[in-house]
Amino acid sequence: MLGTVLLVVLIMLLLGVFPAWPHSRAWGYGPSGVVGIVLLIVLILLLLGRL
């Protein structure tokens, strides 16, 4: 159940940082960097068996 929730949240984050909308064009690499760090943390938790 937690894995499904995390997957949905990550998909929503990926859609949110996609620079296609005018309000997000000037954000730079900040949002995608945050998503990358979240993906890295989730991957580490999966490899350690904590998730």
Side-chain angles (χ1 to χ4, degrees):
M1 171 98 178
L2 183 62
T4 306
V5 172
L6 280 175
L7 182 65
V8 170
V9 168
L10 287 174
I11 289 172
M12 290 174 59
L13 284 172
L14 286 172
L15 288 174
V17 300
F18 189 68
W21 297 281
H23 68 274
S24 64
R25 288 189 190 273
W27 289 353
Y29 293 109
S32 58
V34 171
V35 172
I37 290 175
V38 170
L39 285 173
L40 183 66
I41 291 170
V42 169
L43 181 65
I44 290 171
L45 289 174
L46 282 173
L47 290 175
L48 291 175
R50 305 250 184 201
L51 194 62

